[in-house]
Amino acid sequence: MAQTIISVSREFGSGGHIIAEQIAKDHGLKFYDRHLLDDIAAENNMNAAVLEKYDEKPRNAFLSRRVSGFSNSMEEILAEMQFDYIRKKADSGESFVIVGRCAESVLSGHKGLISIFVVGDDEAKIKRVEKVYGLNTSEAVLKMKRHDKKRRQYHNRHSSFRWGDSRNYDLCINSSKLGLDQTADALEDYIRARISQMQG
């Protein structure tokens, strides 16, 4: 099989993470999400728990500064470490599924990249967040808004295009219409067609 890299970005509560895991499982591909911090921590003799505090978060503009091209912001430093890690995996020829981390932008030059953005209807996302995190409706709405704001700021800081802009992904899909399982199935049909095209 030709190298295939599937990047999945998602709105909070859309189930995009679960969909990405299912795609990786069904295609027998490595799966990378926040747990790649464990590898980065081990490689750099750092504490993974410390790194998690800065994962996919925008820099604090009041506490960070850049001198001679180098930033003292842990958010920025960790982002670059993750981008280097992702590039290294891609350059090795490995096929994998990755969630978030601006992968669709970081790896935009790779021929085998398939980029996906998963959205959802607000009502369905709220119900999902309520169930998963044991929250009431107002708490779920606030959590959704907070996470999506951080993701948007992080992505827009490190990417040449806006988070969620459909023109910059191969496929955008609303998981609320078919449910998570059937959304994964629909995406896999598309992925198989793309793989066949790349091999042709």
Side-chain angles (χ1 to χ4, degrees), residues 4 11 25 36 38 46 68 76 101 123 129 132 139 150 153 155 161 171-172 179 182 185 193:
T4 305
E11 293 179 339
K25 179 182 177 182
L36 61 79
D38 295 333
M46 301 173 76
S68 299
E76 299 254 310
R101 280 146 195 87
E123 183 179 353
V129 173
V132 171
E139 291 170 335
K150 287 180 179 178
Q153 289 176 332
H155 183 278
F161 63 88
L171 186 64
C172 294
Q182 289 189 58
D185 290 342

Side-chain angles (χ1 to χ4, degrees), residues 136-152:
N136 62 38
T137 299
S138 60
E139 291 170 335
V141 170
L142 286 174
K143 188 174 182 68
M144 282 171 46
K145 288 182 177 179
R146 184 170 65 250
H147 279 269
D148 279 346
K149 180 180 179 181
K150 287 180 179 178
R151 287 176 180 173
R152 184 181 301 106

Side-chain angles (χ1 to χ4, degrees), residues 2-70:
Q3 183 185 27
T4 305
I5 301 170
I6 302 163
S7 71
V8 180
S9 298
R10 72 283 183 221
E11 293 179 339
F12 192 78
S14 67
H17 190 280
I18 289 177
I19 291 168
E21 281 187 295
Q22 188 61 47
I23 290 171
K25 179 182 177 182
D26 291 345
H27 285 267
L29 298 176
K30 289 279 189 69
F31 179 70
Y32 295 110
D33 59 1
R34 65 181 181 82
H35 294 296
L36 61 79
L37 294 178
D38 295 333
D39 291 343
I40 292 174
E43 289 176 1
N44 294 276
N45 196 28
M46 301 173 76
N47 187 325
V50 173
L51 295 183
E52 283 191 21
K53 293 195 303 183
Y54 304 99
D55 184 34
E56 283 198 302
K57 290 184 173 67
R59 70 188 176 102
N60 187 321
F62 296 104
L63 299 178
S64 62
R65 62 194 182 98
R66 187 172 287 273
V67 179
S68 299
F70 295 96

Side-chain angles (χ1 to χ4, degrees), residues 31-177:
F31 179 70
Y32 295 110
D33 59 1
R34 65 181 181 82
H35 294 296
L36 61 79
L37 294 178
D38 295 333
D39 291 343
I40 292 174
E43 289 176 1
N44 294 276
N45 196 28
M46 301 173 76
N47 187 325
V50 173
L51 295 183
E52 283 191 21
K53 293 195 303 183
Y54 304 99
D55 184 34
E56 283 198 302
K57 290 184 173 67
R59 70 188 176 102
N60 187 321
F62 296 104
L63 299 178
S64 62
R65 62 194 182 98
R66 187 172 287 273
V67 179
S68 299
F70 295 96
S71 174
N72 71 338
S73 163
M74 270 304 299
E75 292 87 356
E76 299 254 310
I77 292 168
L78 179 57
E80 289 301 327
M81 292 172 74
Q82 292 190 75
F83 300 158
D84 287 344
Y85 181 93
I86 295 166
R87 291 188 192 101
K88 184 170 67 175
K89 291 295 181 183
D91 291 343
S92 75
E94 181 180 307
S95 292
F96 56 90
V97 176
I98 182 163
V99 175
R101 280 146 195 87
C102 298
E104 77 290 330
S105 184
V106 173
L107 302 179
S108 60
H110 281 266
K111 184 180 178 182
L113 177 67
I114 300 171
S115 60
I116 295 165
F117 193 87
V118 183
V119 302
D121 295 338
D122 284 345
E123 183 179 353
K125 290 189 297 181
I126 291 168
K127 286 182 179 178
R128 176 171 174 73
V129 173
E130 286 175 345
K131 180 178 179 181
V132 171
Y133 296 96
L135 303 175
N136 62 38
T137 299
S138 60
E139 291 170 335
V141 170
L142 286 174
K143 188 174 182 68
M144 282 171 46
K145 288 182 177 179
R146 184 170 65 250
H147 279 269
D148 279 346
K149 180 180 179 181
K150 287 180 179 178
R151 287 176 180 173
R152 184 181 301 106
Q153 289 176 332
Y154 174 86
H155 183 278
N156 294 350
R157 168 72 178 171
H158 298 288
S159 177
S160 59
F161 63 88
R162 310 297 288 179
W163 182 76
D165 184 339
S166 62
R167 293 169 294 184
N168 295 291
Y169 300 89
D170 294 324
L171 186 64
C172 294
I173 193 165
N174 186 330
S175 62
S176 304
K177 304 307 181 185

